[in-house]
Structure formats: structure tokens, C-alpha cells
Amino acid sequence: MGIAILMSSWVFVVVCLSSIDLICTETVAEELVTVSETETIASSHSKSSSCGCHSLKRDGLVSVDREASLLSEQAAVKYSKRLNDGMEGQDHRKDCPEEMVLIPAGEFLMGTNNPGIPQDGEGPQRKVHVDQFYMDVHEVSNQDFQKFVNATGHVTEAEKFGDSFVFDGLLSEAVKSQITQAVAAAPWWLPVRGADWSHPEGPDSNIADRMDHPVLHVSWSDATAYCTWAGKRLPTEAEWEYACRGGLSDRLYPWGNNLHPKGQHYANLWQGEFPTYNTGEDGYTKTSPVMSFPANGYGLYNMVGNAWEWTSDWWNVHHTTDELHNPKGPETGHDRVKKGGSYMCHKSYCYRYRCAARSQNTPDSSASNLGFRCISEKKVDLMLQLPEWMVSWSSAKLIGGFVLQAESLHWNTLQRSTSGETC
Ligand SMILES: *[C@@H]1O[C@H](CO)[C@@H](O)[C@H](O)[C@H]1NC(C)=O
Ligand SMILES: [Ca+2]
Ligand SMILES: [Ca+2]
């Protein structure tokens, strides 16, 4: 039986590869994971003119879960970059370019007077001026981060500490059975030994089939080191929020006020019941490729949803209503601001996939839903590959003595970092 399935899958892969269609190969990668021992691959693969990957409907019996997973796979294709841009069949290497777009200078209304989560300091609404800058069009991907690690030998904080937080819905039973602690206020977050950016669900996982997904399990310091290496920096909260709004004024989301314009999904969020059942109606129960779903008015992808994104600001919930120019947040603080929400956000629990929404973590925290993107004042065309000593020197300069302090605080941090932050 096992061999029969392997062989069918193999034939499927060969058919897909021979048509050089990225969607097919992506779908197959999913397929190898989700096909169970008791199912057979139906003959539907050979039915359509491509490789049948666009209509993964199988003849015969399909369980309810299987049906949901099929619908989710179809949605994943529907919301892929390729179909968003009407570029089906084009060169897939363009799917994940290292690209930045110009965010023109301007003024905007930051925050909101109708806060979804008032205690997060979403209000009051205030006028802010921002100079022009360039922003990464997508979250930093695993591939981008791999390049950085290859060039610099950077070791992330999660790797140094030996653990990171993983949402328990993603964990294998083998990994789960070894965990004895959880976060009281949010028991679905488990500290997993050996979880890091290249092992997002612990030692028995890898990123081979998601190099174009956002890098996860990166601390604020890791993110800062990456941006510095790339000749860029983290955005301030004001820059991030200004960019999120995509030129629209006083709207909830990067595309407007309607979560599902024309019944379509515009972001990778959670559908179903949090934290027990994610239907994956938007195509993904975990992260999605960094350029899926439509871009906003500035050409930025996944500003809300997919992965949370670090900003350079210290966290504080009290804001002046004075008009500000390029505000950089408080001088000092304990936590750093993150923006945009993630694939785990559901309105019932984490209505934070709005541009004004915000949350925080200690700078040494890392988790399976937290990533980043960088900005720069000048356009960075070529990645400046600084030697490691220069990167450590400049990030040490940026974060001062915090590295040492973070070491000693780490265990408290693990508990604290998810107590206020539960999605
Ligand atoms: C990083 O290095 C590994 C091992 O040498 C190599 O296989 C991989 O292609 C490199 N990745 C990038 C993005 O440079
Ligand atoms: Ca989703
Ligand atoms: Ca995001």
C-alpha cells in the first residue's frame, strides 16, 4: 500500500515537473504530507490538460477533513501570487524577489478613535508626518534569512537559548509528548526545545518546502541584525502603519473596511474556532508564501496576517495627540512593538489584523508566528553582505547592553511574552 502511494505521488511529481508549473510542484509538496495511508490517488490527475493540479477533486470517498483540506488547497492556489497577478505559467523564480517599493512621504492618521482592543493603546488617533522610504514588498522569507545565515554565520537567539514558542496545533505528537510546560494564560503556546527558524515545529521539522514563507522564530535582535546586514533597518511603528494603510485614510485593513471584499480573502488569518479548529478557508492553516494574497495600494504583501512583524519602537500605550514628524516611539522600554497579526488571528480572540492594532514582545522573544520586514531610506539594490564582526558590532551598538540583560531575563520572558499576547 505504502509503495503504491509513493509511486502514485512520484508519477504525479514527474508529471508536474515536466509541465514546469510551480503551482503543481507546490501542491504536490502539500500532497505528500496530507495523503493518508488509506487513500488512493485517484486517476483524476491525468484528466485536465495541465496536470490536474488546479482541480484536485478526487473520485471516490473523501472524509470531511479531507474535503476541508482539499478546499483549502484550492484556496491556496486561488490566493497564490501567480493567480493574483494573472501571471500563471510565468517564470516562478520571480515569485519571491528581493524587492523594495517606494513609500512616498506624507501625513496620515495613526491609531484609531474606535479601538478594537483599547488596552493595546490603539488610540487616540493622531496626525503623523513620515518622510519617504523604501520597504520590502514582502516579509523576510526563509530563503532571504538563509542567505544571511550563510553569509554571516549568524546564530539566532532561539538557537542560543535552545527553545522557542510553537503553537501546539502545529506540533507532532512525538514533540508534544516531551513538553511539560505551557503558558498558563495561553496554553496553546508551548516552549519547544530545538525549535528555531530552520526547525519551526521543533527538531523533527524543516523548512525545505517553505523557503518562500516568512522566516519565524526570530527575535527583535535577530531581525535587527538581518536588516543591518542587508543595509536596511526595521521600520518604526509609524512607518509600518503608514505603509500598511497603503494610501487609504482611516480604514481598518490595508485594502479598506470590508474584511472579505467580493467574498474573497485578502489575508492569511484564522477561519473557524480558535484555537481548536482552523478550516483553512483562505488556503492556509499555517504560514503562506510571502507574496500570496493581493498587495495593498503601495504594492506591499501580507502587511496584516501571515506573520507578525517587528518594528523598532519600544512599547508604550500612551500617545500624545500632538502632530509628530517621523516619531520613533519612547526612548526606552521593556518590550518592542509588533504589528499586523498573524495566520493565528481570529476576531474572537485576536482582532489585531488591522493597521492600527499593535502588540508587544520582549526583544529576545521568538515564536512560530512572528517575523519581520525591513525598510531603508535609500533604495538597496544589491544586498550588502557585511562580515559577521561588523554585523555584531553594529547590532550590539544598536541594542546596547540589552543582550546580557536578556540572557538573565529569558525564563521570565518566556512566560511573560505570551501572557499579554495570546494570539
Ligand atoms: C546556503 O548554504 C547551503 C549549504 O551550503 C546551500 O545549500 C544553500 O543553497 C544556501 N542558501 C542560500 C539561500 O544561499
Ligand atoms: Ca489561514
Ligand atoms: Ca505580516
Side-chain angles (χ1 to χ4, degrees):
M1 190 58 177
I3 288 175
I5 287 172
L6 267 178
M7 284 179 62
S8 324
S9 306
W10 177 241
V11 169
F12 192 17
V13 169
V14 169
V15 170
C16 288
L17 286 179
S18 66
S19 72
I20 315 185
D21 184 329
L22 180 71
I23 292 168
C24 297
T25 50
E26 276 179 347
T27 311
V28 167
E30 284 290 311
E31 211 55 32
L32 294 175
V33 176
T34 54
V35 169
S36 86
E37 288 277 316
T38 52
E39 286 167 310
T40 54
I41 305 276
S43 56
S44 59
H45 296 149
S46 52
K47 275 185 188 160
S48 75
S49 58
S50 61
C51 59
C53 303
H54 300 279
S55 51
L56 282 173
K57 291 203 176 67
R58 284 178 180 70
D59 310 330
L61 296 173
V62 174
S63 71
V64 171
D65 276 358
R66 185 65 190 143
E67 187 73 57
S69 127
L70 277 175
L71 286 174
S72 169
E73 282 164 24
Q74 287 162 2
V77 171
K78 177 170 162 188
Y79 297 120
S80 68
K81 158 136 185 77
R82 184 164 298 270
L83 293 197
N84 280 337
D85 295 357
M87 54 183 281
E88 188 178 0
Q90 289 178 26
D91 184 354
H92 74 259
R93 281 167 301 183
K94 293 260 188 293
D95 276 8
C96 200
E98 289 159 12
E99 216 177 87
M100 303 186 89
V101 286
L102 176 68
I103 313 297
E107 59 178 51
F108 78 112
L109 296 172
M110 185 166 173
T112 173
N113 288 330
N114 297 299
I117 305 178
Q119 64 271 26
D120 283 353
E122 293 178 9
Q125 196 171 61
R126 58 241 185 237
K127 192 181 264 187
V128 168
H129 300 257
V130 179
D131 291 342
Q132 75 161 48
F133 58 93
Y134 293 85
M135 186 173 227
D136 291 347
V137 295
H138 58 74
E139 296 148 334
V140 171
S141 68
N142 283 320
Q143 183 165 332
D144 298 333
F145 203 78
Q146 169 101 72
K147 207 174 280 180
F148 162 61
V149 169
N150 278 10
T152 64
H154 181 85
V155 178
T156 60
E157 288 200 277
E159 289 167 287
K160 287 180 191 154
F161 291 129
D163 61 34
S164 188
F165 275 102
V166 183
F167 173 55
D168 79 347
L170 304 178
L171 290 173
S172 69
E173 288 305 321
V175 167
K176 241 194 260 193
S177 67
Q178 304 193 349
I179 297 171
T180 53
Q181 286 150 324
V183 178
W188 46 87
W189 279 119
L190 300 176
V192 174
R193 297 294 306 169
D196 59 47
W197 73 275
S198 60
H199 306 92
E201 293 86 35
D204 63 350
S205 63
N206 67 65
I207 52 172
D209 62 352
R210 29 184 167 158
M211 294 308 285
D212 59 348
H213 287 222
V215 65
L216 306 171
H217 298 295
V218 280
S219 69
W220 185 88
S221 314
D222 298 326
T224 301
Y226 174 95
C227 292
T228 304
W229 168 76
K232 308 176 186 178
R233 63 172 170 82
L234 283 176
T236 64
E237 182 181 8
E239 287 162 340
W240 192 98
E241 185 171 327
Y242 176 60
C244 180
R245 294 178 179 281
L248 301 175
S249 178
D250 200 19
R251 296 291 196 280
L252 291 171
Y253 311 116
W255 56 89
N257 277 333
N258 181 354
L259 184 58
H260 300 128
K262 298 186 209 125
Q264 306 292 302
H265 288 280
Y266 273 60
N268 182 7
L269 305 173
W270 182 294
Q271 294 88 39
E273 294 286 322
F274 188 84
T276 50
Y277 184 54
N278 188 338
T279 67
E281 188 186 288
D282 60 17
Y284 303 93
T285 56
K286 308 177 199 171
T287 54
S288 46
V290 292
M291 291 182 79
S292 22
F293 301 94
N296 77 359
Y298 291 144
L300 303 167
Y301 291 84
N302 293 297
M303 288 298 282
V304 300
N306 212 19
W308 277 100
E309 298 174 27
W310 288 111
T311 74
S312 57
D313 289 23
W314 288 111
W315 171 261
N316 167 14
V317 294
H318 303 289
H319 315 290
T320 173
T321 50
D322 295 348
E323 224 169 293
L324 295 176
H325 289 258
N326 303 307
K328 293 182 166 45
E331 288 292 310
T332 59
H334 187 264
D335 294 346
R336 296 286 183 177
V337 177
K338 62 180 183 179
K339 296 283 278 185
S342 79
Y343 66 92
M344 288 174 62
C345 279
H346 184 275
K347 187 164 186 180
S348 68
Y349 214 94
C350 174
Y351 184 35
R352 292 192 174 91
Y353 42 88
R354 293 167 292 116
C355 293
R358 53 207 300 274
S359 191
Q360 88 272 30
N361 277 109
T362 52
D364 60 348
S365 298
S366 60
S368 58
N369 64 351
L370 177 50
F372 68 103
R373 78 179 73 203
C374 315
I375 72 151
S376 65
E377 275 126 57
K378 301 229 162 57
K379 186 152 193 170
V380 182
D381 286 321
L382 288 173
M383 300 277 273
L384 301 171
Q385 308 202 331
L386 304 179
E388 169 75 346
W389 66 267
M390 214 184 270
V391 173
S392 3
W393 174 77
S394 49
S395 42
K397 218 176 53 152
L398 279 170
I399 60 180
F402 197 82
V403 174
L404 283 178
Q405 200 191 355
E407 287 282 346
S408 58
L409 281 177
H410 187 59
W411 183 244
N412 278 342
T413 297
L414 288 185
Q415 296 181 344
R416 185 178 47 246
S417 60
T418 48
S419 63
E421 165 42 47
T422 43
C423 62

